[in-house]
Amino acid sequence: MFENINNYALRCLPFTRQDLEYFDSLLQFKAYPKKTFLLQQGEVCQFEAYILKGCIRTYYIDSAGAEVTLQFAVEDWWVSDITSFHNQTPSHVYIETLEDCEVLILTPETKEKLLSTVPGFERMFRLMVQRNLAQTQERLFRTISTSAVEKYLDFLNRYPAIPQRVAQHYIASYLGFSPEFLSKVRRKLSEQQ
């Protein structure tokens, strides 16, 4: 059960077997059925979850009442509301399973124990935050500077497995399109081939 998350950690730093065993001892396994909320708007996020199996979506509801997808997360990814988790403040987002999921969870308390006992994990989590920030900046740049077709093709290139796992209206929401507009983009691409 811990092999994948330990490999994830070892890609960041050469942890000892003892470090990894301590890490594993703090992780809590949870299984959730499809369409389960791990977090709802207004709740305080009490987890950082590593995904062993399944697909999870993070989204918010805009002022017009529309769902806006911020992230899809699949196997070997982490999911959380980092602001709510670290500041222990109410979340602005929903985190929902799109498939049956299995995750390994750190709580604020277990994460603090981990970081104070094995300081090398600070580096792992710092690298995660840096990668997330870089991806967020790239996504912002693509949103501003590319056409709808380019956005969709970039999404397919970056996340080739996700379109087979999630509904098209979620992908449209992630790209900032209406479902109808995404259909037009897809039709245009199929006509070009």
Side-chain angles (χ1 to χ4, degrees):
M1 174 170 42
F2 299 111
E3 181 181 354
N4 290 344
I5 198 168
N6 288 340
N7 287 336
Y8 183 99
L10 289 168
R11 289 194 302 264
C12 299
L13 206 67
F15 292 104
T16 67
R17 174 56 36 206
Q18 293 84 359
D19 292 343
L20 293 174
E21 286 172 0
Y22 184 70
F23 178 42
D24 297 347
S25 75
L26 296 174
L27 294 166
Q28 181 182 11
F29 174 83
K30 289 202 175 184
Y32 297 99
K34 180 179 179 177
K35 292 293 188 187
T36 299
F37 284 103
L38 307 183
L39 180 69
Q40 294 192 57
Q41 182 182 10
E43 296 176 348
V44 176
C45 184
Q46 297 297 328
F47 66 88
E48 287 186 344
Y50 174 83
I51 302 170
L52 293 169
K53 175 185 157 210
C55 182
I56 296 174
R57 176 175 78 117
T58 302
Y59 68 96
Y60 73 95
I61 298 177
D62 69 13
S63 59
E67 293 180 2
V68 179
T69 301
L70 299 172
Q71 177 191 28
F72 298 107
V74 295
E75 294 83 5
D76 201 35
W77 291 18
W78 289 80
V79 67
S80 182
D81 177 342
I82 194 166
T83 302
S84 177
F85 181 85
H86 284 283
N87 297 334
Q88 289 296 284
T89 54
S91 178
H92 298 288
V93 302
Y94 296 84
I95 299 178
E96 179 185 25
T97 61
L98 297 180
E99 300 173 346
D100 292 344
C101 291
E102 295 176 357
V103 298
L104 295 171
I105 289 178
L106 284 173
T107 66
E109 296 77 25
T110 55
K111 185 175 181 184
E112 189 53 42
K113 281 182 189 176
L114 175 66
L115 299 181
S116 63
T117 305
V118 188
F121 278 97
E122 286 272 5
R123 176 179 166 82
M124 183 184 92
F125 285 101
R126 178 179 55 78
L127 291 172
M128 285 171 45
V129 169
Q130 287 174 329
R131 279 193 292 264
N132 185 277
L133 178 59
Q135 290 172 344
T136 300
Q137 287 177 331
E138 284 181 35
R139 181 174 175 197
L140 178 60
F141 177 75
R142 287 189 309 274
T143 298
I144 294 168
S145 65
T146 59
S147 71
V149 169
E150 290 170 323
K151 283 181 192 127
Y152 181 63
L153 289 173
D154 182 68
F155 177 82
L156 295 177
N157 184 53
R158 286 177 187 271
Y159 312 110
I162 290 180
Q164 287 74 46
R165 298 176 74 173
V166 305
Q168 290 297 306
H169 68 276
Y170 292 148
I171 294 171
S173 166
Y174 178 86
L175 295 171
F177 303 163
S178 69
E180 297 77 18
F181 186 73
L182 178 57
S183 292
K184 289 178 185 175
V185 168
R186 294 175 71 206
R187 191 168 33 256
K188 181 178 180 179
L189 283 170
S190 67
E191 289 169 0
Q192 291 175 355
Q193 293 176 350

